Amino acid sequence: MRAVVLLSLFIHARSEWQSVIGLEIHAQIQSRSKLFSRAGTSYGASTNSQVSHFDAALPGTLPVLNRRCVEAGVLTALALGCDINMVSKFDRKHYFYADLPAGYQITQQRQPLAVNGQVTYVYQCSRTSRVERRSARLIQLQLEQDSGKSLHDSEQRLSLIDLNRAGVGLMEIVTAPDFCGGDDAASFVRDLRDVLVSIGTCDGKMAEGSLRVDANISVNRPGEEFGVRTEVKNLNSVKSMRAAINYEIERQIQILDTGGTVVNETRSFDLDTGETVAMRDKEKVLDYRFMPEPNLPPLVLYSQRESVPLSLPSSQRPNVVVLEEVQGQMKELPEDRRKRLETRYGVSLINSVILVRAELDELFETLVTSHGCDPGSASHVVRNNYNAFLDERKLTWRDSPIETSVLAEIVRLYHEGKVSGSAVSVLLSEKTLDGQLSVSEVIERHNLWMLRDTSVIEAAVTDVFSRNPKMIKAYKKGKVNQLDVLAAKVMKKLEGKADSRLVLTMVSERLKD
Ligand code: ADP
Ligand code: MG
């Protein structure tokens, strides 16, 4: 019954409603010290061990802007295709909460560091194999302080405050309402995280709170104006983000379909129930009483070293941020790496996504350009077998026990059809164990050569057919996918070592009997 209701809701949703999502992303800047103080920023340090007088808002303390944080913000803005404001300003945003000792947060309300970005990302559907490039607009990127953390001890009925996080630099990145659902927004955030990590401005660890997402969600009928939105706060994994957005879309549709109205409110997501719950009403109260931060001058950037005015005192010259110099720290971005794999080596979009995300694209290129491997076989082996091999052992390819030349030899054997895909996985593990043996010796010893002996395959087919008469009947009644299932069973019986195309042909021949 429940399944039927859900299904009809889904069809309904797709035919009559469209959803719109805009994101506000808080990315902690990877810097040794905080945005306005010299206290440290290490995650997991003992409570209140990284708190300067300024972070604790003691009267008379003053903010000193951390140049590294500004550079990280500028580098990020450049990577995200933003226009940089050569002059930006700091403001106080007032609200009262125990983990905000000053009673206000320093942020950039009037004039943020950067505006108008554009990001290309790869949309990946979680239900189908659909993958495609999309693009989203960024409204702005601003610098601001993180707050402290409150820890609630329900047994002792106490709230404890840890100010280690108070004043850590954040980049708030605000997107236009350019996403259409949970998968879309999740794909964007994954790619954004890869960009930040690759340029070293944020460690991207969502589980540690280094990257947190607020999702604004609304639904409307095609052709009509955007609907009233709700905001789901503090999503700290890609998975919960996707689930929260999809839940919220369905919830809003259900309200509108039953004649209700969506309330503009802030909600939180409960990972256990998979539901969003109201936190507070956004239309009410919340006057942040923004005002310019009197203790910080406007943040001025320079395009080149030569454009720094001579009037600037020499003691301040080393502290200026020069765009040209920041641009010089730019790394090749994930999107450019994906594009290169596609255009230069004919790698598919999904394979280039996987290789770049796993940081295996450079290895792939080395295999092809320095070791003469076939690009198709190299991307197959690296993406499937080698990626899993490294993952299991928590290794990067640079500290892998398999040398690149050995991997190249394995790719060649795979390409020549001498070993099957699943034999490659076994081979990788065995080669690590049999340190001294050559690749072909290991293949020999573990009997991993590709199996093409038709009498052996024939025997396996006979065995599988005699055990699965129902499948054969089903196939003959038109369930054609049984062919693949039977072939997979034969492959399994032959320990994955047989030539899969040969197996498929032999199974389909036998089904004609
Ligand atoms: P606020 O002033 O409340 O912060 P903004 O205009 O700055 O609102 O937008 C905040 C976020 O909400 C942005 O990411 C934007 O894309 C998103 N947003 C705005 N309107 C909608 C809407 N109708 N549906 C979904 N998201 C929206
Ligand atoms: Mg806003």
Side-chain angles (χ1 to χ4, degrees), residues 19-25 93 109 137 139-140 172-179 214-220 225-231 252 264 282 288:
S19 44
V20 177
I21 292 108
L23 304 172
E24 292 165 279
I25 296 139
K93 176 182 181 175
Q109 157 77 3
R137 295 163 298 159
I139 297 170
Q140 65 184 60
E172 180 180 316
I173 300 166
V174 183
T175 79
D178 283 355
F179 308 100
D214 302 340
N216 295 272
I217 302 144
S218 67
V219 302
N220 66 310
E225 275 177 32
F226 287 170
V228 174
R229 70 181 200 252
T230 57
E231 182 176 14
Q252 292 184 11
N264 177 214
K282 210 176 178 179
Y288 290 121

Side-chain angles (χ1 to χ4, degrees), residues 12-207:
H12 197 68
R14 293 184 74 190
S15 56
E16 279 190 43
W17 295 101
Q18 67 185 23
S19 44
V20 177
I21 292 108
L23 304 172
E24 292 165 279
I25 296 139
H26 288 97
Q28 268 183 1
I29 298 171
Q30 216 173 349
S31 59
R32 272 194 295 275
S33 56
K34 294 184 180 179
L35 183 55
F36 299 118
S37 82
R38 298 181 67 173
T41 60
S42 338
Y43 178 80
S46 62
T47 45
N48 294 309
S49 65
Q50 302 186 133
V51 188
S52 71
H53 291 160
F54 174 78
D55 304 326
L58 292 196
T61 53
L62 290 171
V64 179
L65 183 57
N66 179 344
R67 177 164 53 98
R68 157 69 194 161
C69 291
V70 177
E71 287 175 346
V74 170
L75 187 63
T76 305
L78 290 170
L80 302 178
C82 295
D83 299 329
I84 311 274
N85 281 327
M86 300 306 277
V87 178
S88 61
K89 293 174 179 164
F90 291 101
D91 306 284
R92 292 183 177 182
K93 176 182 181 175
H94 295 83
Y95 62 91
F96 291 95
Y97 203 74
D99 58 25
L100 187 78
Y104 59 84
Q105 172 198 35
I106 302 179
T107 177
Q108 296 193 297
Q109 157 77 3
R110 294 163 299 162
Q111 186 103 323
L113 185 68
V115 293
N116 295 336
Q118 183 89 32
V119 178
T120 301
Y121 64 102
V122 181
Y123 166 80
Q124 274 181 275
C125 179
S126 61
R127 284 173 296 110
T128 67
S129 55
R130 191 162 151 211
V131 234
E132 67 192 30
R133 277 204 167 73
R134 290 185 180 174
S135 147
R137 295 163 298 159
L138 301 185
I139 297 170
Q140 65 184 60
L141 183 153
Q142 77 211 28
L143 296 176
E144 60 187 37
Q145 298 172 297
D146 208 340
S147 61
K149 273 187 196 167
S150 305
L151 312 158
H152 303 289
D153 184 336
S154 52
E155 252 170 54
Q156 298 199 50
R157 299 178 45 80
L158 280 178
S159 282
L160 305 164
I161 308 297
D162 179 6
L163 292 180
N164 278 353
R165 201 180 68 177
V168 168
L170 288 179
M171 299 180 276
E172 180 180 316
I173 300 166
V174 183
T175 79
D178 283 355
F179 308 100
C180 63
D183 276 346
D184 196 20
S187 301
F188 171 81
V189 169
R190 275 171 74 164
D191 276 8
L192 177 72
R193 179 180 59 189
D194 290 349
V195 170
L196 302 182
V197 172
S198 73
I199 60 176
T201 59
C202 172
D203 70 21
K205 294 178 183 162
M206 294 185 85

Side-chain angles (χ1 to χ4, degrees), residues 152-389:
H152 303 289
D153 184 336
S154 52
E155 252 170 54
Q156 298 199 50
R157 299 178 45 80
L158 280 178
S159 282
L160 305 164
I161 308 297
D162 179 6
L163 292 180
N164 278 353
R165 201 180 68 177
V168 168
L170 288 179
M171 299 180 276
E172 180 180 316
I173 300 166
V174 183
T175 79
D178 283 355
F179 308 100
C180 63
D183 276 346
D184 196 20
S187 301
F188 171 81
V189 169
R190 275 171 74 164
D191 276 8
L192 177 72
R193 179 180 59 189
D194 290 349
V195 170
L196 302 182
V197 172
S198 73
I199 60 176
T201 59
C202 172
D203 70 21
K205 294 178 183 162
M206 294 185 85
E208 294 182 2
S210 304
L211 194 69
R212 312 182 305 257
V213 179
D214 302 340
N216 295 272
I217 302 144
S218 67
V219 302
N220 66 310
R221 289 179 201 275
E224 291 180 3
E225 275 177 32
F226 287 170
V228 174
R229 70 181 200 252
T230 57
E231 182 176 14
V232 186
K233 283 268 186 204
N234 277 327
L235 297 164
N236 57 8
S237 76
V238 170
K239 194 177 145 211
S240 53
M241 205 182 114
R242 182 188 289 127
I245 291 172
N246 290 340
Y247 175 85
E248 191 54 23
I249 292 170
E250 291 303 328
R251 191 189 68 87
Q252 292 184 11
I253 290 174
Q254 213 156 15
I255 290 174
L256 295 172
D257 272 347
T258 50
T261 48
V262 174
V263 184
N264 177 214
E265 63 187 358
T266 302
R267 301 177 69 86
S268 65
F269 179 63
D270 184 335
L271 192 57
D272 295 330
T273 60
E275 295 175 0
T276 65
V277 287
M279 281 168 73
R280 59 171 187 251
D281 216 321
K282 210 176 178 179
E283 273 168 337
K284 276 188 229 147
V285 290
L286 283 200
D287 174 4
Y288 290 121
R289 297 182 297 114
F290 281 103
M291 61 173 269
E293 165 57 53
N295 293 326
L296 286 164
L299 167 56
V300 180
L301 306 171
Y302 299 94
S303 50
Q304 293 162 311
R305 207 22 84 176
E306 297 82 68
S307 46
V308 179
L310 293 168
S311 57
L312 199 74
S314 58
S315 62
Q316 283 185 32
R317 299 188 144 258
N319 289 327
V320 302
V321 173
V322 174
L323 294 195
E324 206 176 50
E325 292 169 8
V326 177
Q327 179 72 54
Q329 302 169 19
M330 188 66 80
K331 297 270 174 12
E332 191 183 20
L333 297 173
E335 170 63 5
D336 298 328
R337 289 155 60 190
R338 289 191 288 262
K339 276 246 172 71
R340 194 177 56 239
L341 294 193
E342 290 173 68
T343 54
R344 198 177 290 174
Y345 308 100
V347 176
S348 66
L349 177 57
I350 183 64
N351 281 355
S352 69
V353 166
I354 293 169
L355 290 174
V356 170
R357 182 158 290 147
E359 297 287 343
L360 289 171
D361 51 321
E362 196 184 327
L363 170 68
F364 163 82
E365 289 197 80
T366 310
L367 287 170
V368 175
T369 56
S370 312
H371 297 269
C373 290
D374 169 75
S377 296
S379 77
H380 184 92
V381 168
V382 173
R383 175 214 144 141
N384 297 303
N385 314 95
Y386 200 50
N387 195 9
F389 171 85

Side-chain angles (χ1 to χ4, degrees), residues 347-475:
V347 176
S348 66
L349 177 57
I350 183 64
N351 281 355
S352 69
V353 166
I354 293 169
L355 290 174
V356 170
R357 182 158 290 147
E359 297 287 343
L360 289 171
D361 51 321
E362 196 184 327
L363 170 68
F364 163 82
E365 289 197 80
T366 310
L367 287 170
V368 175
T369 56
S370 312
H371 297 269
C373 290
D374 169 75
S377 296
S379 77
H380 184 92
V381 168
V382 173
R383 175 214 144 141
N384 297 303
N385 314 95
Y386 200 50
N387 195 9
F389 171 85
L390 296 174
D391 255 8
E392 268 165 35
R393 291 161 181 78
K394 305 228 177 323
L395 293 171
T396 69
W397 66 272
R398 287 178 203 282
D399 41 49
S400 162
I402 303 275
E403 277 169 43
T404 306
S405 59
V406 170
L407 185 64
E409 199 182 334
I410 295 176
V411 170
R412 265 195 298 278
L413 290 169
Y414 170 80
H415 185 67
E416 290 163 3
K418 302 225 168 89
V419 288
S420 71
S422 47
V424 169
S425 294
V426 182
L427 179 53
L428 285 167
S429 307
E430 299 296 349
K431 176 75 185 85
T432 342
L433 301 175
D434 298 336
Q436 305 88 325
L437 302 184
S438 73
V439 172
S440 40
E441 280 167 341
V442 175
I443 295 179
E444 200 63 52
R445 172 177 289 195
H446 297 277
N447 191 21
L448 292 171
W449 293 114
M450 177 89 90
L451 179 74
R452 286 218 182 69
D453 185 335
T454 48
S455 61
V456 176
I457 299 175
E458 204 64 68
V461 172
T462 306
D463 183 69
V464 167
F465 272 52
S466 69
R467 287 170 198 272
N468 298 284
K470 278 192 194 147
M471 287 188 156
I472 293 151
K473 232 185 231 156
Y475 176 84

